[in-house]
Amino acid sequence: MTQLWGIVNVTPDSFSDGGRYASVDAAMAHGYELLAAGAHVLDIGGESTRPGSQRVPVEVEQQRVIPVIEALAEAGAVISIDTMNASTAAAAVRAGARYINDVAGGLADPDMYAAAAESGADYVLGHWRGPSSDMYALANYTNVGAEVAAEITERLAGALAAGIAPERIVVDPGVGFAKTAEHNWTLLRELDHVSALGHRVLIGTSRKRFFTTALGDDATEEQRDVATAVTSVLAAQAGAWAVRVHNVAVNRDALAVAAAWQGVTND
Ligand code: PMM
């Protein structure tokens, strides 16, 4: 069974006008929707990591995500915190999160591995080379699949040395992080390098910009959701343990159809 991780972004817009509660309510309502659509895990983030994004102060990040995590965990949801900050990760686990999803793989915060080790949560270690503001300058590879796997291996050594149990670590090749569209496609084609590390693998392609090389520059959100669903099926067939998606319903259906083809179910 492929795990469906539903994305809950606690958006900043509603914070500027004192609308914090409205934004928390909206994020919670979205979380419930994704659970009803079949999400196994809700991945909650308060800081955008998209190319070109600026960092958000850690206090602001926590004000955004902690109330949402508390409420959704209380309601029984399995929660992941999408953060590069050790203190946010620790606070989120205290609030009920069971996964720490760190796209920076520990490189953005020297305290992250220790915080993850101490928290008892599972740790998603993403491949990353530097902040979103300049990640395209870092997109240089000769053999992207092998190099990404080698860099994840280096980070794994640090994570294990800090005391995170190996079975608690999930690895993520970091589609879109310091990678061009061509790098992303090659990396997905060469996913074996990352699977061979022996950890659960999580893939995040949802609605990402690299789809435009297949769909054209003016691809709509709907088209990107269909594209995401195709990659979810292909990732599942390549052995991925989980996919992180915006549109849970479309990806659930795609995985269910692929499972039926194989004579199994994705429940
Ligand atoms: N991508 C984004 C954010 N968080 N987490 C993981 N584990 N893997 C990803 O690929 C990933 C992530 C950026 O995408 P978004 O801004 O659409 O959420």
Side-chain angles (χ1 to χ4, degrees):
M1 179 185 85
T2 310
Q3 296 267 313
L4 274 163
W5 284 38
I7 300 168
V8 179
N9 286 320
V10 190
T11 54
D13 318 357
S14 24
F15 286 80
S16 51
D17 58 355
R20 179 175 307 159
Y21 295 105
S23 140
V24 167
D25 281 353
M28 280 174 50
H30 189 54
Y32 286 122
E33 257 175 54
L34 297 184
L35 289 174
H40 302 105
V41 174
L42 297 179
D43 188 37
I44 300 175
E47 178 182 26
S48 177
T49 52
R50 298 213 149 202
S53 304
Q54 297 303 317
R55 298 298 306 267
V56 165
V58 73
E59 300 76 24
V60 174
E61 182 192 33
Q62 292 179 20
Q63 284 167 11
R64 289 177 186 172
V65 296
I66 299 300
V68 179
I69 292 171
E70 278 171 352
L72 289 170
E74 177 84 0
V78 178
I79 304 296
S80 159
I81 172 66
D82 185 349
T83 186
M84 300 190 271
N85 296 311
S87 69
T88 302
V93 174
R94 283 196 298 275
R98 305 238 301 257
Y99 292 88
I100 297 166
N101 174 23
D102 176 14
V103 298
L107 291 188
D109 188 333
D111 298 330
M112 181 58 100
Y113 295 150
E118 200 174 307
S119 73
D122 285 11
Y123 178 64
V124 180
L125 188 161
H127 177 264
W128 191 81
R129 281 185 168 180
S132 301
S133 49
D134 58 20
M135 63 164 82
Y136 286 121
L138 303 166
N140 304 296
Y141 304 87
T142 312
N143 296 297
V144 65
E147 285 168 57
V148 164
E151 288 171 32
I152 291 176
T153 302
E154 282 171 25
R155 320 267 148 84
L156 279 169
L160 295 168
I164 309 177
E167 64 275 12
R168 282 181 33 215
I169 302 178
V170 178
V171 295
D172 181 334
V175 171
F177 290 96
K179 294 163 194 90
T180 63
E182 205 48 55
H183 292 140
N184 291 323
W185 291 118
T186 308
L187 184 59
L188 289 170
R189 194 180 312 127
E190 297 180 348
L191 210 52
D192 280 1
H193 289 279
V194 173
S195 312
L197 300 176
H199 291 267
R200 290 171 287 170
V201 176
L202 184 148
I203 301 290
T205 60
S206 195
R207 295 181 182 167
K208 284 186 178 170
R209 192 181 308 182
F210 78 116
F211 283 130
T212 58
T213 62
L215 302 177
D217 280 342
D218 54 356
T220 62
E221 190 168 287
E222 226 172 19
Q223 285 179 285
R224 291 188 194 209
D225 279 340
V226 172
T228 303
V230 174
T231 58
S232 290
V233 167
L234 295 171
Q237 291 182 351
W241 165 77
V243 291
R244 175 187 180 276
V245 299
H246 296 90
N247 188 330
V248 170
V250 166
N251 284 276
R252 174 205 61 205
D253 289 348
L255 289 167
V257 170
W261 177 293
Q262 311 278 0
V264 295
T265 64
N266 194 52
D267 296 334

